[in-house]
Amino acid sequence: MIQWLVDPWTWGDWMWRGMVTVHLVAIAAAVLGVFLYLRRMSLIADALAHVALPGIVAAFLISGSLDGPVMLGGAVVVGLVAAWAIQTLSNRPTIKGDAAIGIVFTSFFAVGVILLSTVVRDAHIDTHCLLFGDVLGISDRALGLVLFVVPTVLVLVAIFFRWLAVSSFDPKFAMAIGVPVGAMNYGLMTAVTVTAVAGFEAVGAILVIALIIVPGATAHLLADRLGSMIGWAVAHTVVSCWVGMYVAIYANTSAAGAIVVVGGVLYLAAFLLSPRHGRLWMARRSLLRSRTSVSH
Amino acid sequence: MTSPAAIEVRGVQMAYDETVALRDVTVEIPTGCLVGVVGPNGAGKSTLIKGLVGAREPDRGELRFFGKPATKKRPFLTYVPQRGAVDWDFPITAEGVVRQGRFRSVGLLTRFSAEERGKVEAAMEAVDITALRSRQIGNLSGGQQQRVFLARALCQGGEIYVLDEPFAGVDASTESAIMDVLRGLRDEGKTVVVVHHDLSTVREYFDRLILLNQVVVAAGPTEEVFTAENLQETYRGQVAVVVE
């Protein structure tokens, strides 16, 4: 058993590179995801991850390079434009928020696809990798990016924790006590975009969305304080990453896919078993109640 | 010369797209009184609140606090939102909510000092929720939830308190506990503005009254303003009220 766990670490440095990268990305994604979940903005993560594509392409067109900072800059600028467009649209009384997200991100993404297939066909942008990632083949560039981005995001969340918490819980009150609610909102959007871009090479644009949404959703079933919700989200994502990586290695399948599937299974377990919201406990409680009422 | 009014609203107009919520609203609220804002649904009460707390700028007109033009920052103003305005599933305890009242002075990274903790404690005692401190807020009754929000406002402090329908969906004992706290604030010289729905308690609760329906129908001391005629005009036949 131990042999079985240790072996992959001796097969080359791709193992620890993959482990480090995927854990760091997943932890940052889980922490940000908690706030998005509580703000009912999980879908924004989806939008921003897609919008990053035209951002990266545009940055490449302007600068001719695909270095980490350039990619991040392009993705953040276009991501903020998209976030602003979504906000502005959904503030109109006639446009529903979910439709606003759908309209904006698909349009932006489509522009990215067109640019990729025409103007920048010669650039070595691997769309398959961008969308699905390659945990077991992390480049130095991707590792460096993650090592810079993730600690920065986590430190910023720690510093602004109170403001993020109060503006997620009660934005009007937050505004009234002088919290820069707008800045918190766009700061969160920026952090999500940056984390998603940093995670592209490891897990891809599609699956990074799952790493943002699922841990927070699971943790919400288990926690009744914000601190413990973040703790549960991180625990969820770390377990998903470990188990998912081994599954991927031994079943010779997509690591990102395996990680997300494990995460989904854990969510299901929490959904059924959580002491407060768990469906099984609820069923048991109502069964007991009906029995006692019968015996009376 | 008397001291300046706590709140002066001068010719304020606020609209959402084409829908005008408030039209040329001019009203003065003297310092140290307990004021009710009453009017039918859609009368612009919430919009007026948004203007007062600074969540939305008036499209036209001017707000003044204690004789000075309103700026974006209003640290003297404390706001208690409608109970329905937050997510009750949010992972936070009753004490956690009350502590938010001290965030402005505690800042981002500093720990709560003994003095700050004392203020949180005193506020929870004032509305009798110390026993509920570690409950997640979704596990509280409507009345208890409203007390939590009032405690947050108390420990925030301030000169002007603005409450948006604090009695909606609360039990009778909470309602009278809240009223005791509000009267206490008034007696300390604070100004308390309450958006209110229940016409049967208006006379008992408020020193002054503002009848609002997009325009100010009447404003002033309750006994002068709370007349059948004024109510008729405010509610435009939507309710039949008998005022003896």
Side-chain angles (χ1 to χ4, degrees), chain A residues 67-277:
Chain A
D67 290 340
V70 176
M71 269 181 23
L72 284 185
V76 165
V77 169
V78 179
L80 287 180
V81 171
W84 172 81
I86 290 169
Q87 204 96 64
T88 311
L89 273 181
S90 48
N91 281 345
R92 313 299 301 171
T94 45
I95 299 170
K96 299 260 183 290
D98 52 351
I101 294 174
I103 294 163
V104 171
F105 96 73
T106 47
S107 309
F108 275 65
F109 188 67
V111 170
V113 169
I114 290 175
L115 288 178
L116 262 186
S117 59
T118 54
V119 194
V120 288
R121 209 177 313 166
D122 308 331
H124 296 287
I125 298 179
D126 181 348
T127 37
H128 187 265
C129 175
L130 210 55
L131 291 179
F132 299 106
D134 182 10
V135 182
L136 306 181
I138 300 289
S139 66
D140 284 343
R141 190 189 64 183
L143 186 60
L145 198 58
V146 167
L147 285 174
F148 167 72
V149 162
V150 172
T152 311
V153 165
L154 293 179
V155 166
L156 287 175
V157 169
I159 291 176
F160 291 105
F161 185 77
R162 278 182 190 150
W163 284 3
L164 279 170
V166 69
S167 63
S168 305
F169 175 61
D170 189 347
K172 262 198 219 159
F173 170 78
M175 219 176 282
I177 61 167
V179 172
V181 174
M184 286 298 106
N185 192 33
Y186 283 106
L188 192 60
M189 298 296 113
T190 305
V192 169
T193 306
V194 167
T195 306
V197 172
F200 277 176
E201 196 167 320
V203 292
I206 310 286
L207 296 176
V208 80
I209 299 162
L211 289 183
I212 292 174
I213 297 176
V214 183
T218 310
H220 188 245
L221 293 168
L222 302 169
D224 57 9
R225 285 163 203 248
L226 186 51
S228 60
M229 183 169 168
I230 290 175
W232 278 110
V234 170
H236 170 276
T237 212
V238 167
V239 172
S240 309
C241 288
W242 268 90
V243 178
M245 280 293 270
Y246 280 100
V247 168
I249 290 165
Y250 286 106
N252 195 20
T253 175
S254 148
I259 289 166
V260 173
V261 169
V262 173
V265 171
L266 291 176
Y267 176 82
L268 184 66
F271 179 77
L272 293 173
L273 299 173
S274 104
R276 247 186 339 120
H277 305 282

Side-chain angles (χ1 to χ4, degrees), chain A residues 268-290:
Chain A
L268 184 66
F271 179 77
L272 293 173
L273 299 173
S274 104
R276 247 186 339 120
H277 305 282
R279 288 301 174 272
L280 283 186
W281 298 115
M282 280 185 190
R284 182 165 174 269
R285 275 198 293 270
S286 67
L287 192 70
L288 286 178
R289 253 201 307 276
S290 62

Side-chain angles (χ1 to χ4, degrees), chain A residues 14-35:
Chain A
W14 52 263
M15 178 66 179
W16 69 261
R17 279 168 169 271
M19 274 291 199
V20 167
T21 310
V22 86
H23 273 88
L24 286 175
V25 168
I27 288 170
V31 171
L32 296 173
V34 164
F35 291 103

